[in-house]
Amino acid sequence: MNTKLFVSVVLVLAVIAFYLLPKTRLGKALRMNEKLFYAINITGIACGAAGLALSLIMGERIMTGHYFELILLPAVIIYLYSAVVMKARGNQSAFDEKQGLDMTRAAALSLPFSIAGMFLLYALYRESVFEGLVWFPVYLFLTLTVYSAAVLVYFRRC
Amino acid sequence: MKLGNNLRRCRFEMDEITQEALAKEVGVTRQTIISIEKNRYVPSALLALKLAMFFGRKFEDIFYLTEDED
C-alpha cells in the first residue's frame, strides 16, 4: 500500500476522532493516568530514537520512501489519544500540576538542544557530510527524543 | 526561605494512608505527592488547600516556611 495514502487516511481518521470521540460515551470514559503519561513519553523516546538512528543509517531514503511518517505514527496516535482525553475533559486538566511543570521544563530544555542540533546540522551540510532532506527527520526525531526523555527524567526525579 | 511540610506525618497519623491513595483523593499522581514530601516540588495554593482539607487541618499545620539549608 502506498505509504503516503496510508498515512493520509490515518491522519484524516485521527482528526475525525479528535472532533467526534469526545462527544461520545466512549470519550467520557477515556482517562489520563500515570501509566498513560509514561506510555506517551516512552513511545516518544522509542519513535524518536528509532527515527534518529534510521535517519543516520538510511539518509534521504527515509524521506523519499516516507518511512519517517510510519516511524512517527505510534507517537502521533498516542499524542492524539491524549488530545482527545484533554478535549473530553473540557476545563478540567488531563495532567496534574507537576506533570504540567515537567512538560514545561522539558520544552525549555529541548529548545537549546534543538538550536544546537540545527547548528550541528548546518555544519554537517557545510562539510558535505549530509545532503538532501535528511536534516528534517534528524531534527524532528532528535527534538522528539530529547523532549520525551526530559519529561520522563523530570517526572521521575522526585 | 522555602516551603516545608508535614505531609508524611499527616499520612501516618491518618491510618498510614498510602501516597497512591492520597494522590487519588486530591487528584494528582503519586509522583507529585512523593515530590512534595521530599520538598522537591512546591504545590500550588489550590493543591495545598486540597491536602489541608483532606487531612482536616489548617494550611499552616501542614505547610511552614523554613530557612534554606545552604
Side-chain angles (χ1 to χ4, degrees):
Chain A
M1 189 182 179
N2 185 316
T3 313
K4 217 171 181 177
L5 179 69
F6 171 72
V7 173
S8 303
V9 169
V10 169
L11 287 179
V12 168
L13 289 175
V15 171
I16 292 169
F18 178 72
Y19 284 103
L20 295 183
L21 259 184
K23 294 172 186 167
T24 64
R25 277 187 187 175
L26 178 64
K28 305 292 175 218
L30 297 176
R31 287 285 175 270
M32 174 67 71
N33 58 28
E34 208 170 321
K35 283 178 187 162
L36 185 62
F37 189 72
Y38 277 117
I40 291 171
N41 293 296
I42 289 169
T43 307
I45 294 169
C47 292
L52 190 60
L54 287 174
S55 303
L56 296 173
I57 294 165
M58 297 172 72
E60 207 174 337
R61 270 178 54 210
I62 199 165
M63 288 295 290
T64 53
H66 293 281
Y67 299 123
F68 87 96
E69 291 106 317
L70 287 178
I71 299 166
L72 203 58
L73 203 57
V76 171
I77 289 170
I78 202 156
Y79 273 101
L80 185 86
Y81 177 87
S82 59
V84 170
V85 174
M86 279 189 267
K87 198 166 190 294
R89 288 175 67 108
N91 292 332
Q92 209 182 350
S93 176
F95 301 104
D96 83 8
E97 57 185 55
K98 185 177 173 295
Q99 287 174 320
L101 179 69
D102 295 336
M103 289 189 286
T104 306
R105 291 165 80 188
L109 183 77
S110 305
L111 180 65
F113 259 95
S114 67
I115 293 170
M118 194 49 99
F119 270 106
L120 181 66
L121 281 169
Y122 175 71
L124 291 172
Y125 268 87
R126 288 227 0 158
E127 298 299 320
S128 300
V129 177
F130 280 161
E131 55 185 34
L133 287 172
V134 73
W135 67 269
F136 178 71
V138 170
Y139 182 74
L140 179 75
F141 289 123
L142 174 72
T143 310
L144 179 64
T145 309
V146 171
Y147 172 76
S148 304
V151 173
L152 268 192
V153 168
Y154 283 129
F155 185 61
R156 289 288 304 166
R157 202 174 63 182
C158 52
Chain B
M1 301 278 269
K2 66 178 188 178
L3 193 71
N5 67 79
N6 299 315
L7 211 55
R8 182 168 289 191
R9 204 184 67 205
C10 291
R11 278 199 305 112
F12 286 132
E13 285 173 3
M14 188 180 258
D15 297 333
E16 296 190 14
I17 182 174
T18 63
Q19 291 167 330
E20 182 87 50
L22 176 60
K24 204 172 177 184
E25 287 291 338
V26 294
V28 295
T29 60
R30 193 174 68 93
Q31 295 292 338
T32 302
I33 299 297
I34 297 169
S35 299
I36 296 170
E37 284 189 359
K38 289 185 176 175
N39 284 325
R40 293 203 173 151
Y41 174 68
V42 177
S44 67
L46 179 68
L47 178 55
L49 286 170
K50 274 186 186 177
L51 288 164
M53 277 176 65
F54 174 77
F55 288 114
R57 297 183 182 204
K58 288 180 186 168
F59 174 89
E60 57 269 32
D61 290 341
I62 301 177
F63 296 96
Y64 54 88
L65 285 173
T66 177
E67 292 292 330
D68 275 326
E69 282 162 16
D70 39 61

